[in-house]
Amino acid sequence: MATRLNIILTFLSHYKYMIVIVGGLLVVGVLDENSYLKLWKYHDEISKLKDEINRYKKQDELSTRRLHMLEKDPRGVERIARERYMMKTDDEDIFVLSTDKQPEDDNKDENSFLEGDDAE
């Protein structure tokens, strides 16, 4: 038992500076409340929040321009209604072209559909 204790004490006395340095780096780098690991996470979160702020600023500028257009231009209301809400006047037709694929119905038999039979 005493020999094991002597071996451990000898090991600790030879590597005492290395043990203190490694322990200090662990505390400062990972374990502490103000560690570098948390600092990197905070910097990442700050950059994401700044990007979000810029996105909201651009959205605010666009909305402000539209508001000014509505206030100053009498045709602005008509223009926004046509663009955003797809409104039309009484004497015109609007065709909406879509590139979406139509869902295929696997339950129907194509031959019966072509012949005019309703199998379902």
Side-chain angles (χ1 to χ4, degrees), residues 66-115:
R66 283 186 180 165
L67 180 64
H68 287 297
M69 184 175 67
L70 285 173
E71 291 174 348
K72 299 192 188 273
D73 187 16
R75 294 193 50 147
V77 175
E78 180 182 350
R79 180 176 174 201
I80 289 178
R82 286 173 173 269
E83 288 177 0
R84 293 192 83 186
Y85 303 111
M86 295 189 188
M87 293 185 171
K88 65 182 185 84
T89 60
D90 292 333
D91 62 339
E92 70 180 358
D93 293 328
I94 295 178
F95 297 98
V96 178
L97 303 175
S98 175
T99 59
D100 296 339
K101 291 184 178 180
Q102 295 295 327
E104 295 180 14
D105 192 8
D106 294 333
N107 297 333
K108 287 188 178 182
D109 184 31
E110 291 182 18
N111 294 331
S112 66
F113 179 75
L114 292 174
E115 294 171 2

Side-chain angles (χ1 to χ4, degrees), residues 20-36:
V20 170
I21 290 171
V22 169
L25 288 176
L26 279 175
V27 168
V28 171
V30 180
L31 302 175
D32 190 28
E33 185 176 304
N34 300 317
S35 67
Y36 283 110

